[in-house]
């Protein structure tokens, strides 16, 4: 229990720090509004140019809801872990972090929970409320509960991916290159920029075997389900759980091996 | 001799936001317009002659860096007059910068990934140094430090000592009238510190460059400065020769006594304090040693010694002149 | 002694050459960055393809015309990417106090700060942009004349001024607010939308994206001069002047921020 308190202290410190940044919050909300507006008009004109109102099984409305929420998820999930790790490696600060009385992976994760929760409250929740008020298209029922479970799994998967990519920074100084490769691949194959339904067959197949789908597409599909039965959501949650465990093990293993290599080389 | 720097009643005020503590405070700060005025430099006047090395001392947050910023022209004082090399620095930052050099102990101003010689060449262009002056300067540098191994090494691969050395060389490259050195020896080992001090002394002597040295290291002050200026809470506390400082505190001695361990009790120390505090003696202890800082104008060392002996037996003793560090500490806490 | 344009140009080229030389000695990093850049563009292109494979035209703009805008926007982004990359570090420099070290040179502070870093991988994007533009130009059957090429160059430079201006102003916000990264990041993301014709927006946002966040000037207005030569709006013709104005304003904001930073006594 005291271990939990230790972690929660990190969460609280993160929240306070987050609030301390006065204008930042306002800027962020404002920025999201602009960003979402652009998405709205872009897809509106795309659908307006189409002869049929339904394209690839999606209407303009459902596409928009999907993309808006995907953006909101992206905003609270992107914690710049790769940058942080890369910078810590370069400045040598990582040595200090490694001697802390907690596992580096957990330390980093829990110190991010404060900002993540704040971001969730300041970006996702308002976006969700606005979308719901405007469209009334998101069912408010048991799906919300499943969504919470699913989003927690998504955060874990996303963190594992980030941590794994961040570990590469132990080998190379090119943080920018490493991070951008991760980012563009995740954004494309998770369906965060274009719904997966629009993908041509070949690319859709590639996306379906990659774990990125479990970060955005999974929680979003659950959220948009109308009073789903457990058997409807179970396959998605199972897949997410599979990736969460798998990537957890992979990222921990990769980190340990890399660390050993680095300490052996005395770098 | 002509003045290099003149400050007349310089004051600098800042507006800062009142921040509140805790979760509630942070939320309040989000909308707060609650500013207060802080006086970083308070009516400071100062004249520094050409070729002087002045130690500019003070605790952290005393207003040192604000004064330096005013002298380098990147900050405009709230009131007062300032002249550096005969011009008002904030009115023309660029032309002021041509005639000054600045070094920060921990922040290299050199191009991180370039070999030192390439950084020098770029500086040559930026400061428009003539070929002859540039070559003379490099020859001069080569005569006082082992330049060759540094020149072809990228700055990022240098040790902190080498980097500081390079930064100092770079700051004197354009033959500035004034050089500001901020903590030049911070984090360096003893040998490197002494190298850096020798280097600064040598350039100062050869080029007659005025040097303003801010530091917390009394070794720097003892080795380089003939004059020191002390500032605290924005106010000038002291401005005079090191000699004068030594004279004022010249009658001070530090008497250290090792007392038999069984007698080192709190009662013993209290009795000493009661007995000697009327004479302005400060007492500190470490293990079995008792240190007494004595002003000989007020009480003779011998009297203190016999006074201590009445209550305890002395196993060993040392008598030292007061250190510069101790002097500065006394000025911070008590004034002169 | 005065420091004019030729002085700054000479210094910039010298720093650039030295910088490139030293980058070559860290080849692995350079290659990874380059691959990252190329991948970004490939993914960008794939997304573009996916989106428009389902539709033959958008808002009266054909696929190839959209491609033209896309290539044009990549070219317009390049100068910002290459020359103002140090703006990304501005926030860190201000936050940890390192910024002060740039303030003591007898040359323009903005120039000195930005000249420190040249991001060579931006040239990869430039190549991608040129290739896309040439392809679209060819497909659209646009005439290749001396005049049309001159026009393209002038308007590409104009467009790049807008992008640089926005990035400067966004980066400079770090002098006033603590978590300015979001502002810079937002601006950087907005550039993604510069490649779409501004006519897709409603009047309010058309106004906003023309005058407040001028992304319409990054591809749309300048491209009209080439794509729709018979219907060029006034804004396109005067965009070079507006671009210079924007850049100058952003420069003033940046410098004002730097002065303010020095005044905070940190």
């Amino acid at each position: 229990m005291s271990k939990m308190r230790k972690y929660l202290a990190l969460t609280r410190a993160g929240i306070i720090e987050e609030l301390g940044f006065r204008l930042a919050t306002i800027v962020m909300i404002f920025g999201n509004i602009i960003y979402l507006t652009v998405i709205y008009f872009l897809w509106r004109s795309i659908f307006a140019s189409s002869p049929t109102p339904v394209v690839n099984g999606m209407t303009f409305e459902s596409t928009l809801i999907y993309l808006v929420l995907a953006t909101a998820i992206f905003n609270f999930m992107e914690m710049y872990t790769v940058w942080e790790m890369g910078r810590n490696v370069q400045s040598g600060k990582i040595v200090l972090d490694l001697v802390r009385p907690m596992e580096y992976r957990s330390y980093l994760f829990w110190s991010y929970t404060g900002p993540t929760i704040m971001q969730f409250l300041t970006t996702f929740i308002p976006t969700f409320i606005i979308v719901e008020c405007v469209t009334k298209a998101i069912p408010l029922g048991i799906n919300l509960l499943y969504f919470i479970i699913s989003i927690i799994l998504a955060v874990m998967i996303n963190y594992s991916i980030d941590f794994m990519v961040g570990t590469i920074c132990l080998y190379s100084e090119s943080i920018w290159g490493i991070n951008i490769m991760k980012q563009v691949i995740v954004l494309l194959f998770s369906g965060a920029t274009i719904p997966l339904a629009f993908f041509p067959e070949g690319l859709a197949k590639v996306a379906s075997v990659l774990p990125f789908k479990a970060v955005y597409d999974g929680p979003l599909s659950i959220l948009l389900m109308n009073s789903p039965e457990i058997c409807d959501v179970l396959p998605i949650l199972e897949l997410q759980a599979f990736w969460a465990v798998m990537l957890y093990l992979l990222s921990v293993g990769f980190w340990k091996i890399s660390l050993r290599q680095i300490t052996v080389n005395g770098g | 001799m002509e003045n290099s720097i003149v400050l007349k009643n310089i004051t600098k005020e800042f507006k800062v936001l009142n921040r509140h503590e805790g979760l509630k405070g942070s939320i309040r700060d989000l909308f707060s317009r609650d500013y207060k005025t802080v006086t970083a430099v308070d009516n400071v006047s100062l004249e520094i002659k050409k070729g002087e090395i002045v130690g500019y001392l003070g605790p952290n947050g005393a207003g040192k860096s604000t004064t330096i910023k005013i002298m380098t022209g990147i900050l405009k004082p709230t009131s007062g007059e300032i002249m550096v090399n005969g011009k008002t620095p904030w009115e023309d930052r660029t032309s002021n910068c041509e005639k000054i050099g600045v070094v920060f102990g921990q922040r290299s101003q050199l191009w991180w990934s370039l070999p030192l010689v390439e950084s020098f060449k770029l500086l040559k262009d930026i400061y428009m140094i003539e070929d002859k002056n540039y070559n003379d300067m490099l020859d001069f540098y080569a005569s006082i430090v082992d330049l060759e191994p540094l020149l072809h090494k990228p700055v990022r691969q240098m040790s902190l000592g080498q980097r500081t050395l390079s930064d100092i060389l770079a700051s004197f490259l354009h033959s500035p009238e004034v050089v500001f050195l901020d903590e030049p020896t911070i984090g360096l080992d003893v040998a490197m510190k002494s190298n850096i001090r020798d280097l600064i002394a040598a350039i100062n002597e050869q080029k007659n460059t005025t040097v303003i040295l801010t530091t917390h290291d009394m070794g720097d002050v003892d080795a380089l400065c003939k004059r020191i200026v002390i500032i605290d809470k924005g106010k000038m506390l002291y401005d005079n020769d090191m000699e004068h400082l030594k004279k004022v505190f010249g009658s001070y001695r530090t008497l250290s006594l090792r007392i038999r361990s069984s007698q080192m009790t709190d009662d013993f120390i209290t009795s000493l304090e009661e007995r000697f505090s009327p004479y302005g003696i400060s007492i500190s202890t470490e293990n079995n040693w008792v240190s007494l800082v004595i002003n000989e104008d007020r009480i003779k060392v011998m009297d203190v010694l016999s006074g201590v002996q009445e209550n305890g037996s002395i196993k060993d003793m040392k008598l030292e002149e007061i250190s510069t560090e101790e002097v500065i500490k006394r000025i911070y806490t008590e004034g002169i | 002694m005065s420091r004019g344009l030729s002085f700054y140009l000479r210094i910039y080229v010298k720093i650039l050459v030295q910088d490139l030389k030293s980058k070559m000695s860290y080849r692995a990093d350079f290659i990874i960055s380059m691959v990252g850049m190329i991948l970004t563009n490939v993914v960008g292109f794939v997304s573009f393809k996916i989106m428009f494979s389902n539709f033959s035209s958008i808002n009266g703009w054909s696929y190839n015309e959209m491609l033209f805008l896309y290539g044009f926007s990549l070219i317009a982004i390049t100068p910002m990417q290459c020359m103002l990359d140090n703006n990304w570090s501005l926030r860190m420099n201000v936050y940890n106090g390192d910024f002060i070290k740039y303030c003591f040179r007898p040359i323009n502070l903005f120039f000195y700060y930005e000249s420190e870093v040249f991001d060579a991988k931006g040239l990869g994007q430039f190549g991608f942009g040129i290739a896309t533009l040439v392809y679209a130009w060819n497909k659209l059957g646009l005439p290749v004349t001396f005049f049309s090429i001159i026009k393209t160059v002038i308007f590409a430079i104009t467009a790049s001024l807008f992008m640089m201006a926005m990035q400067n102003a966004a980066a400079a916000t770090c002098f006033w607010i603590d978590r300015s990264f979001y502002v810079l990041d937002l601006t950087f993301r907005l550039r993604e939308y510069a490649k779409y014709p501004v006519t897709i927006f409603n009047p309010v946002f058309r106004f906003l994206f023309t005058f407040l966040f001028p992304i319409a000037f990054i591809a749309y207005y300048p491209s009209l001069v080439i794509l729709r030569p018979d219907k060029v709006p006034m804004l396109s013709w005067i965009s070079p002047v507006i671009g210079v104005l924007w850049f100058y304003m952003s420069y003033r904001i940046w410098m004002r921020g730097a002065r303010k930073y020095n005044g905070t006594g940190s």
Side-chain angles (χ1 to χ4, degrees):
Chain A
M1 207 52 224
S2 81
K3 199 171 175 187
M4 199 60 211
R5 251 218 312 274
K6 198 163 63 177
Y7 289 134
L8 283 177
L10 282 175
T11 310
R12 185 171 178 277
I15 292 178
I16 289 183
E17 200 187 338
E18 198 69 17
L19 280 175
F21 298 106
R22 291 148 57 89
L23 272 168
T25 323
I26 300 161
V27 168
M28 226 164 55
I29 293 168
F30 175 73
N32 279 312
I33 293 171
I34 293 198
Y35 185 75
L36 296 174
T37 313
V38 174
I39 292 184
Y40 169 82
F41 284 112
L42 178 62
W43 286 87
R44 193 189 62 167
S45 60
I46 288 178
F47 272 87
S49 315
S50 158
T52 54
V54 178
V55 182
N56 293 320
M58 291 182 87
T59 60
F60 169 56
E61 197 179 52
S62 62
T63 309
L64 196 66
I65 292 171
Y66 179 96
L67 283 173
V68 166
L69 294 178
T71 308
I73 292 181
F74 170 79
N75 280 335
F76 91 84
M77 276 220 261
E78 178 59 290
M79 280 296 138
Y80 306 100
T81 319
V82 180
W83 283 102
E84 174 86 15
M85 286 176 74
R87 266 203 295 268
N88 286 351
V89 169
Q90 267 174 30
S91 67
K93 185 176 166 284
I94 193 135
V95 180
L96 292 179
D97 291 332
L98 288 177
V99 298
R100 265 177 227 276
M102 34 175 129
E103 201 57 69
Y104 180 64
R105 194 182 185 283
S106 316
Y107 165 73
L108 211 56
F109 181 78
W110 287 95
S111 53
Y112 279 140
T113 47
T116 306
I117 292 170
M118 273 312 289
Q119 300 270 55
F120 184 78
L121 296 177
T122 54
T123 64
F124 187 82
I125 295 291
T127 314
F128 177 83
I129 292 171
I130 291 168
V131 169
E132 178 62 20
C133 288
V134 174
T135 66
K136 304 216 167 23
I138 308 171
L140 299 174
I142 188 77
N143 57 329
L144 294 183
L145 183 70
Y146 291 130
F147 171 73
I148 296 291
I149 300 171
S150 176
I151 202 78
I152 290 172
L153 285 168
V155 167
M156 285 160 64
I157 296 169
N158 188 53
Y159 179 70
S160 287
I161 295 171
D162 274 9
F163 192 79
M164 224 171 348
V165 176
T167 308
I168 301 174
C169 294
L170 287 173
Y171 301 95
S172 164
E173 280 194 18
S174 179
I175 314 173
W176 185 89
I178 295 165
N179 187 62
I180 201 78
M181 283 193 242
K182 181 219 93 178
Q183 198 172 331
V184 294
I185 288 178
V186 171
L187 283 184
L188 179 69
F189 287 110
S190 63
T193 42
I194 302 169
L196 292 178
F198 284 85
F199 278 38
E201 207 176 324
L203 270 176
K205 235 181 218 139
V206 176
S208 70
V209 296
L210 291 173
F212 313 119
K213 203 182 130 177
V215 181
Y216 292 91
D217 204 56
L220 283 177
S221 331
I222 291 180
L223 187 61
L224 297 175
M225 281 178 188
N226 200 350
S227 52
E229 293 293 318
I230 186 80
C231 55
D232 297 325
V233 294
L234 217 49
I236 299 175
L237 290 180
E238 271 171 0
L239 187 71
Q240 279 192 301
F242 165 76
W243 279 120
V245 173
M246 195 70 181
L247 290 169
Y248 171 80
L249 292 176
L250 273 173
S251 69
V252 169
F254 183 39
W255 172 248
K256 287 218 166 112
I257 292 168
S258 307
L259 215 53
R260 203 173 311 140
Q261 209 131 36
I262 298 300
T263 32
V264 166
N265 295 337
Chain B
M1 242 191 306
E2 58 177 314
N3 279 326
S4 212
I5 299 176
V6 180
L7 270 70
K8 245 186 238 158
N9 310 104
I10 288 289
T11 296
K12 179 72 200 177
E13 288 166 352
F14 293 117
K15 268 189 188 163
V16 292
L17 180 73
N18 269 325
R19 289 213 183 258
H20 298 96
E21 277 179 25
L23 200 53
K24 249 190 217 156
S26 300
I27 295 172
R28 215 161 79 208
D29 282 346
L30 215 53
F31 307 98
S32 166
R33 295 270 120 218
D34 180 14
Y35 290 101
K36 65 172 178 226
T37 307
V38 173
T39 309
V41 177
D42 193 355
N43 201 23
V44 167
S45 297
L46 192 64
E47 281 183 11
I48 294 169
K49 292 196 168 53
K50 176 114 190 72
E52 270 192 294
I53 302 186
V54 177
Y56 193 51
L57 314 176
N60 288 326
K64 277 179 305 189
S65 64
T66 307
T67 326
I68 300 287
K69 280 181 185 174
I70 292 172
M71 292 196 272
T72 51
I74 59 177
L75 208 56
K76 185 183 163 188
T78 311
S79 65
E81 273 176 54
I82 175 163
M83 291 297 235
V84 175
N85 306 316
K87 278 185 192 154
T88 309
W90 54 266
E91 278 178 355
D92 191 350
R93 184 193 72 87
T94 314
S95 75
N96 185 56
C97 281
E98 272 177 358
K99 292 191 184 138
I100 62 167
V102 183
V103 173
F104 289 107
Q106 309 108 307
R107 294 175 180 145
S108 178
Q109 293 169 69
L110 298 166
W111 284 265
W112 199 239
S113 51
L114 301 192
L116 183 59
V117 67
E118 298 302 340
S119 275
F120 279 3
K121 281 185 195 156
L122 287 172
L123 289 176
K124 175 180 179 289
D125 284 325
I126 287 176
Y127 286 95
M128 302 200 263
I129 308 170
E130 300 197 357
D131 291 346
K132 186 181 173 307
N133 295 347
Y134 175 78
N135 293 329
D136 286 353
M137 206 62 186
L138 282 196
D139 289 344
F140 170 58
Y141 283 170
S143 72
I144 48 175
V145 291
D146 189 11
L147 198 58
E148 204 45 41
L150 286 182
L151 278 182
H152 303 286
K153 202 172 184 178
V155 175
R156 66 195 289 176
Q157 287 171 10
M158 289 183 180
S159 69
L160 180 61
Q162 291 174 323
R163 216 155 68 206
T164 312
L165 201 73
S166 304
D167 256 305
I168 291 175
L169 294 178
S171 73
F172 282 95
L173 196 65
H174 54 288
S175 308
E177 306 273 336
V178 186
V179 169
F180 299 89
L181 301 173
D182 186 37
E183 302 276 356
T185 61
I186 197 165
L188 303 180
D189 63 43
V190 182
M192 201 64 208
K193 274 186 186 180
S194 134
N195 276 349
I196 300 264
R197 288 167 192 158
D198 291 349
L199 172 70
I200 296 168
I203 305 178
N204 166 259
E205 198 185 66
Q206 180 77 24
K207 303 282 169 188
N208 199 31
T209 316
T210 312
V211 175
I212 312 292
L213 174 73
T214 60
T215 183
H216 286 111
D217 188 329
M218 289 310 138
D220 293 345
V221 179
D222 280 331
L224 291 168
C225 308
K226 287 202 181 62
R227 173 183 171 192
I228 60 169
V229 173
I230 301 175
I231 184 173
D232 190 21
K233 300 193 184 83
K235 287 201 172 66
M236 188 122 91
L237 290 185
Y238 180 87
D239 173 15
N240 215 319
D241 291 346
M242 282 290 281
E243 292 296 312
H244 173 261
L245 196 69
K246 289 245 166 82
K247 221 180 284 162
V248 170
F249 288 90
S251 51
Y252 280 77
R253 298 280 182 279
T254 305
L255 177 65
S256 305
L257 303 169
R258 188 157 67 89
I259 308 295
R260 181 189 297 236
S261 55
S262 60
Q263 287 170 334
M264 274 298 279
T265 58
D266 288 346
D267 286 347
F268 173 66
I269 302 299
T270 319
S271 74
L272 286 184
E273 271 167 357
E274 270 168 17
R275 178 160 187 168
F276 293 122
S277 61
Y279 303 103
I281 291 177
S282 62
I283 298 174
S284 58
T285 58
E286 198 188 342
N287 296 327
N288 290 330
W289 286 90
V290 178
S291 294
L292 302 103
V293 180
I294 301 162
N295 183 349
E296 277 211 296
D297 291 345
R298 300 177 68 180
I299 184 168
K300 291 273 168 288
V301 171
M302 284 313 291
D303 296 340
V304 177
L305 207 54
S306 55
V308 175
Q309 230 162 1
E310 280 170 24
N311 296 324
S313 61
I314 298 166
K315 307 294 286 180
D316 197 357
M317 65 165 283
K318 276 190 291 196
L319 187 62
E320 291 161 340
E321 299 227 331
I322 188 168
S323 66
T324 311
E325 196 161 355
E326 189 71 38
V327 170
I328 305 282
K329 212 176 354 175
R330 294 213 133 209
I331 294 174
Y332 287 169
T333 50
E334 296 156 28
I336 196 140
Chain C
M1 285 198 290
S2 77
R3 293 178 169 88
L5 194 62
S6 66
F7 168 84
Y8 281 107
L9 217 62
R10 201 174 66 239
I11 298 275
Y12 195 82
V13 170
K14 280 191 177 172
I15 296 177
L16 179 65
V17 170
Q18 288 305 327
D19 189 50
L20 287 178
K21 248 198 253 171
S22 82
K23 277 216 183 81
M24 291 303 144
S25 58
Y26 293 88
R27 205 165 299 153
D29 292 338
F30 185 71
I31 290 171
I32 291 178
S33 305
M34 228 9 163
V35 171
M37 194 73 195
I38 291 167
L39 194 69
T40 310
N41 280 295
V42 170
V43 168
F45 188 73
V46 168
S47 309
F48 187 84
K49 275 288 262 198
I50 295 174
M51 237 156 148
F52 297 107
S53 59
N54 295 294
F55 315 94
S56 59
S57 77
I58 289 181
N59 214 273
W61 294 75
S62 72
Y63 174 75
N64 284 324
E65 282 177 318
M66 295 291 287
L67 212 55
F68 186 95
L69 290 181
Y70 181 57
F72 198 91
S73 75
L74 287 183
I75 294 169
I77 290 164
T78 303
M80 181 261 317
Q81 181 94 41
C82 290
M83 302 198 300
L84 299 183
D85 204 46
N86 218 19
N87 269 342
W88 287 96
S89 316
L90 187 62
R91 184 181 56 100
M92 291 306 283
N93 279 316
V94 165
Y95 190 62
N96 64 26
D98 272 349
F99 184 75
I100 184 89
K101 72 182 191 186
Y102 297 97
C103 302
F104 303 115
R105 298 288 183 221
I107 56 175
N108 182 285
L109 176 62
F110 174 73
F111 170 84
Y112 180 55
Y113 182 78
E114 303 296 349
S115 71
E116 195 183 39
V117 175
F118 182 88
D119 185 17
K121 65 180 178 293
L123 295 174
Q125 177 163 289
F126 186 69
F128 214 91
I130 293 277
T132 312
L133 195 73
V134 168
Y135 176 84
W137 193 300
N138 197 24
K139 281 275 167 189
L140 289 166
L142 295 168
V144 184
T145 63
F146 175 73
F147 191 53
S148 67
I149 289 171
I150 288 289
K151 267 200 295 193
T152 312
V153 171
I154 288 176
F155 282 95
I157 293 171
T158 299
S160 71
L161 284 175
F162 283 100
M163 193 62 231
M164 290 198 279
M166 281 198 292
Q167 204 241 18
N168 262 339
T173 54
C174 75
F175 291 117
W176 288 275
I177 58 179
D178 285 338
R179 274 222 163 163
S180 69
F181 180 73
Y182 293 106
V183 184
L184 193 55
D185 196 44
L186 172 75
T187 316
F188 197 63
R189 276 198 295 170
L190 275 181
R191 92 202 181 289
E192 293 267 334
Y193 298 94
K195 57 178 176 272
Y196 304 118
V198 75
T199 45
I200 64 172
F201 300 109
N202 75 6
V204 175
F205 282 93
R206 212 176 296 171
F207 180 84
L208 210 63
F209 288 135
T210 304
F211 297 107
L212 207 55
F213 306 99
I215 56 172
F217 283 102
I218 290 166
Y220 175 74
Y221 285 119
S223 295
L224 283 180
V225 175
I226 315 289
L227 284 179
R228 308 266 163 98
D230 45 332
K231 279 193 295 187
V232 182
M234 195 56 194
L235 270 177
S236 290
W237 290 124
I238 61 169
S239 66
V241 181
I242 309 178
V244 170
L245 224 61
W246 261 95
F247 185 81
Y248 179 71
M249 256 159 38
S250 76
Y251 161 77
R252 296 301 304 200
I253 292 171
W254 199 99
M255 290 295 269
R256 178 171 287 247
R259 205 170 319 131
K260 191 221 158 241
Y261 161 80
N262 284 322
T264 49
S266 43

